[in-house]
Amino acid sequence: MRSSRKKGLIVAEQSAYRIFDVRHVGKQILSPHMARITFAGEDVAAMATFAPDQRIKLFFPRADGTLPAIPNRPDWYDLYRAVPPRERAPMRTYTIRSLRADQCEVDVDFVLHGDNGPASRWALNAQPGDRIQISAPNANYRGEVGGYEWQPPAGVQHVLLLADETALPAAAGILEELAALKPRVDAFLEVPDEADRLELPSWDGLDLRWLVREGRSGENRAYGDGMIAAANQVELPRDVLSGSDAEALVEPDNDDLLWDRASSATGGFYAWVAGETGAVSRIRTALVKERGIDRRLANLMGYWKLGRERE
Ligand SMILES: Cc1cc2nc3c(=O)[nH]c(=O)nc-3n(C[C@H](O)[C@H](O)[C@H](O)COP(=O)(O)OP(=O)(O)OC[C@H]3O[C@@H](n4cnc5c(N)ncnc54)[C@H](O)[C@@H]3O)c2cc1C
């Protein structure tokens, strides 16, 4: 008894991220390709989130139905990695859409892209009571936790937001946060079809464009095409065009996601871009190489990769 209480204390104090045992308690279909699943669990009282793009890891049952059973210990990640890949619970990255720690509940918005991946398949079939595990920030940890990139400069005046449906949960949270400040925002949100557009805040100064891949007139654009066109055309302030080293742009390896963090967001402009990795790479070329925007002002993040499974 004493030793398990001591172990609990160690996890509480030492792990920036900890394991949460949760069960599905609600599902809301937001659109044809998006479902919000509410998870509950006693420990969610100790979950924390620091930004609208706070990332978390979800662990799903294996193909044979075995539930994930990662111990909540400071070395949980090493223990997870020590299991041979075929025997591990599949792990995928998601965003905290809404955390109600006082009610021990957390919402995650899932893109329903088919039954070709363990996460989307689980979300399509999930029933109340189904259990998974989540690794998320530990509210009792006293150091810097990280796991988010949305860190606009104080007094930001102009935000460029480009997101596909996987980054829509984060983008929606970003817009809800900005609604209080009302800066100029150019937001381009790409979704599979017309009915996937969601209700979002609006204010003078927010120019929100939905980019629909399968339009009413039968057009069928490739992932990212709409966002790439927007990156080529959007009006950029002159003072963000600088001599950052565009030649040094490095393409991610086959198995990597592109992940460029803004490093010097001190001016009035800030960009947050996330979506399919190949598309984000072309957006980076358009913004940084062709249009000369200072790459230190932009987060450019591959959230998934076409044709590849992603942990
Ligand atoms: C920081 C971060 C935050 C994220 N937040 C969210 C979030 O809140 N909600 C969300 O839905 N996703 C989010 N994602 C994306 C999610 O992690 C990936 O889409 C993941 O691949 C889904 O896992 P899966 O098991 O469904 O498919 P996988 O097993 O990874 O892939 C199987 C196949 O499905 C394809 N695929 C994967 N995702 C999609 C998609 N969206 N559309 C079409 N095909 C796809 C793959 O290319 C592959 O061919 C986030 C990713 C990152 C890095």
Side-chain angles (χ1 to χ4, degrees):
M1 176 70 186
R2 268 175 57 190
S3 106
S4 77
R5 197 178 298 148
K6 197 170 159 209
K7 255 188 217 158
L9 205 64
I10 291 171
V11 174
E13 290 172 353
Q14 289 189 350
S15 300
Y17 278 76
R18 52 156 287 181
I19 294 292
F20 295 88
D21 293 306
V22 294
R23 65 186 192 287
H24 161 347
V25 294
K27 184 176 187 176
Q28 190 187 352
I29 301 296
L30 301 178
S31 78
H33 294 94
M34 183 79 83
R36 174 163 302 158
I37 297 197
T38 300
F39 296 99
E42 251 176 59
D43 293 348
V44 177
M47 191 182 282
T49 182
F50 299 99
D53 61 344
Q54 180 72 58
R55 53 187 178 268
I56 53 176
K57 300 283 185 188
L58 271 49
F59 300 89
F60 297 96
R62 289 178 5 205
D64 65 4
T66 316
L67 292 177
I70 303 160
N72 181 30
R73 297 175 16 176
D75 57 349
W76 66 264
Y77 190 70
D78 296 335
L79 294 173
Y80 175 75
R81 285 285 169 206
V83 177
R86 281 163 173 260
E87 293 165 30
R88 281 181 210 152
M91 172 174 84
R92 295 291 182 269
T93 310
Y94 281 79
T95 304
I96 291 184
R97 179 64 179 95
S98 178
L99 173 63
R100 296 174 295 284
D102 55 335
Q103 295 169 43
C104 298
E105 285 186 357
V106 59
D107 294 337
V108 177
D109 290 355
F110 287 79
V111 174
L112 306 173
H113 62 82
D115 71 354
N116 52 343
S120 175
R121 186 184 312 123
W122 185 89
L124 278 166
N125 299 312
Q127 298 296 324
D130 287 354
R131 293 177 174 277
I132 65 163
Q133 289 186 304
I134 296 180
S135 151
N138 176 1
N140 294 312
Y141 182 72
R142 294 188 188 93
E144 168 62 29
V145 175
Y148 59 92
E149 310 305 340
W150 173 252
Q151 298 175 57
V156 65
Q157 287 158 13
H158 185 174
V159 175
L160 173 63
L161 201 57
L162 287 151
D164 74 8
E165 61 269 39
T166 62
L168 184 52
I174 287 171
L175 290 173
E176 286 160 7
E177 183 180 298
L178 289 174
L181 306 165
K182 299 185 174 47
R184 171 173 173 187
V185 177
D186 294 307
F188 298 92
L189 304 178
E190 186 176 306
V191 288
D193 77 44
E194 298 273 348
D196 288 306
R197 295 176 300 175
L198 302 179
E199 199 66 46
L200 291 174
S202 73
W203 64 89
D204 286 349
L206 166 62
D207 185 0
L208 193 160
R209 314 269 177 97
W210 289 99
L211 311 168
V212 177
R213 282 197 297 274
E214 290 181 32
R216 276 197 207 109
S217 48
E219 67 265 36
N220 194 347
R221 292 193 281 188
Y223 286 104
D225 276 1
M227 294 196 296
I228 295 160
N232 277 307
Q233 287 157 20
V234 66
E235 193 186 322
L236 296 170
R238 279 183 185 279
D239 59 357
V240 300
L241 309 179
S242 94
S244 61
D245 190 2
E247 292 310 317
L249 298 182
V250 179
E251 287 303 316
D253 286 344
N254 261 348
D255 282 328
D256 287 342
L257 296 176
L258 192 158
W259 206 264
D260 271 15
R261 295 187 166 99
S263 59
S264 166
T266 51
F269 177 82
Y270 191 67
W272 190 97
V273 179
E276 197 281 319
T277 285
V280 174
S281 171
R282 287 167 62 199
I283 291 168
R284 183 175 68 166
T285 302
L287 289 176
V288 177
K289 225 173 194 166
E290 287 157 15
R291 306 201 60 195
I293 173 183
D294 186 336
R295 60 190 299 201
R296 293 171 302 176
L297 306 177
N299 294 291
L300 294 143
M301 299 160 291
Y303 264 29
W304 63 287
K305 197 158 193 174
L306 193 59
R308 290 196 178 254
E309 305 184 344
R310 272 308 310 178
E311 280 208 328

